[in-house]
Amino acid sequence: LSIVARAIRWRILLNSEISARQSFPIVSIGVVTNLLPMRAGDILRASLLRRYGIPFVTGLSSLVIENLQDILIVVALLVLSFSQVTTIPPEAIFVSQLFGVLGVIACIILFWMIRSPEHGFTLIDKIVGMFPLLERLNGKQRFEEILSGVKPLAQPSTFFQSILWSGILWLFNLLAFYTIGLAFDFGDVNLILWSVLSVSLISLSVAIPVSFAGIGAYQFAVIIAGTMVGVDMVDALALG
């Protein structure tokens, strides 16, 4: 269900240039191939969009917005959940602060690009003037494709629709982990809090594309979340 919601959100971020039926298989392929290092699934998703006439760079730009929305939602969930626990590992605090700051900086840059695109074109002209060989890259066209990908941020209705579907897909993710917690029967553990902490920390730990299938980072995040709410380390490791 979360993949369906993700496909609908991506269609919205692409200004409905493709249908949800077309975006769903691409998103599904991307989820599987994102198990590979360097988030290969995102590159593949942007490449597959070209069959529908959407430039590769525009596709990548839409994925930047998608990932940015996810990061900001996860950081917000962590802030809320941290207020409900007494002991917070320094690693969890550092990661949440790091991604929170990076997310805010990314939002500022994107809104600047949308509000003042002429500065971007001027910067490209200056760079090409310094390095004439870069003219072959057709920087202005690439920048226009980037602007096309981030355009939904300037459209309130599109932006809020994408936020709505972001919330829905993360709700599905939380429900999945909550169901797993019920199956493990952790006793008196607050499963809602555990689900929020686990999903949030896992999302941030695998956001840095350096591991294969999230191995190591995923397990570490589950253990950290478990220890914060009283889950036995062995049970947390088994779940991871």
Side-chain angles (χ1 to χ4, degrees):
L1 291 176
S2 66
I3 295 178
V4 173
R6 191 173 291 275
I8 294 174
R9 180 183 65 174
W10 198 32
R11 177 188 66 81
I12 294 170
L13 291 176
L14 289 169
N15 282 319
S16 299
E17 293 186 35
I18 61 174
S19 66
R21 179 175 296 182
Q22 292 169 328
S23 67
F24 177 75
I26 299 178
V27 171
S28 301
I29 293 171
V31 170
V32 174
T33 51
N34 261 345
L35 296 176
L36 299 173
M38 305 309 296
R39 299 190 67 86
D42 286 349
I43 304 297
L44 181 58
R45 283 172 62 183
S47 299
L48 290 174
L49 281 178
R50 290 185 295 182
R51 67 174 63 181
Y52 300 112
I54 300 175
F56 175 77
V57 176
T58 299
L60 278 183
S61 300
S62 69
L63 291 174
V64 169
I65 298 178
E66 177 183 287
N67 290 321
L68 181 59
Q69 287 186 351
D70 287 341
I71 288 174
L72 293 178
I73 288 175
V74 166
V75 171
L77 289 174
L78 279 177
V79 171
L80 292 175
S81 57
F82 282 170
S83 65
Q84 304 299 316
V85 296
T86 55
T87 303
I88 306 174
E91 298 90 346
I93 296 176
F94 171 76
V95 170
S96 59
Q97 289 177 338
L98 173 64
F99 277 93
V101 171
L102 292 177
V104 171
I105 292 175
C107 284
I108 293 173
I109 293 174
L110 288 174
F111 278 110
W112 172 78
M113 289 172 57
I114 294 171
R115 295 292 298 272
S116 304
E118 66 278 2
H119 295 306
F121 288 112
T122 301
L123 179 61
I124 291 172
D125 286 336
K126 290 181 179 179
I127 294 176
V128 172
M130 295 170 59
F131 306 98
L133 289 177
L134 295 179
E135 189 172 357
R136 298 179 181 180
L137 299 177
N138 202 348
K140 287 188 175 182
Q141 182 178 341
R142 300 289 86 82
F143 187 66
E144 288 176 353
E145 292 171 354
I146 292 174
L147 290 177
S148 178
V150 301
K151 188 178 179 180
L153 288 178
Q155 302 170 348
S157 61
T158 303
F159 176 74
F160 286 114
Q161 285 183 53
S162 67
I163 291 294
L164 173 63
W165 281 102
S166 294
I168 292 174
L169 75 88
W170 281 102
L171 178 61
F172 286 141
N173 290 337
L174 293 173
L175 287 175
F177 248 77
Y178 183 82
T179 304
I180 294 173
L182 289 175
F184 268 73
D185 189 17
F186 290 139
D188 296 331
V189 171
N190 185 332
L191 289 182
I192 296 177
L193 180 58
W194 171 79
S195 300
V196 173
L197 287 169
S198 297
V199 170
S200 301
L201 291 176
I202 289 170
S203 300
L204 294 185
S205 66
V206 300
I208 302 175
V210 294
S211 63
F212 181 84
I215 296 175
Y218 188 103
Q219 287 74 22
F220 180 72
V222 173
I223 291 174
I224 291 294
T227 57
M228 292 172 68
V229 295
V231 175
D232 183 78
M233 183 174 292
V234 174
D235 289 338
L237 181 59
L239 176 60

